Amino acid sequence: MSISTDNIIRIVKAGGNLSIDADGKSTDNIIRIVKASIKAGKVVTFSNLQGKSTDNLIRIVKAGGDNVILEI
C-alpha cells in the first residue's frame, strides 16, 4: 500500500520522525514532505532513491539540511 504525499505530510505534522519509501514519489513531492518536516522540527529518512539523479538528490538535501537523511 502506498500512502499519499498529503497523508505523509499529515503524519509528519502530527509529530512523527519517519522513514519513507521514495519509490514512485516525485522529487517535488519529496521536497514538500521535507518542508513539512522542517516546520515540525522532525527528521525524515528517504530510501529507494536509485531512480533519482544526483542533481535531484542535491535539491532534496539542500531543501532539508539536518531534517533529511537519504539512504543511497
Side-chain angles (χ1 to χ4, degrees):
M1 177 179 77
S2 177
I3 298 176
S4 72
T5 299
D6 289 334
N7 282 336
I8 292 172
I9 290 170
R10 288 179 58 210
I11 294 167
V12 169
K13 287 179 179 180
N17 288 320
L18 300 176
S19 178
I20 300 166
D21 182 349
D23 187 37
K25 299 225 178 295
S26 70
T27 301
D28 290 335
N29 280 339
I30 292 171
I31 291 174
R32 285 180 56 212
I33 295 166
V34 168
K35 288 180 180 180
S37 73
I38 291 168
K39 285 183 181 180
K42 298 300 176 182
V43 175
V44 290
T45 302
F46 294 97
S47 61
N48 292 322
L49 295 162
Q50 60 272 8
K52 303 288 183 222
S53 69
T54 301
D55 288 339
N56 280 334
L57 295 176
I58 291 170
R59 284 180 58 208
I60 295 166
V61 169
K62 283 185 176 182
D66 291 340
N67 293 81
V68 67
I69 297 170
L70 304 182
E71 291 182 358
I72 53 174

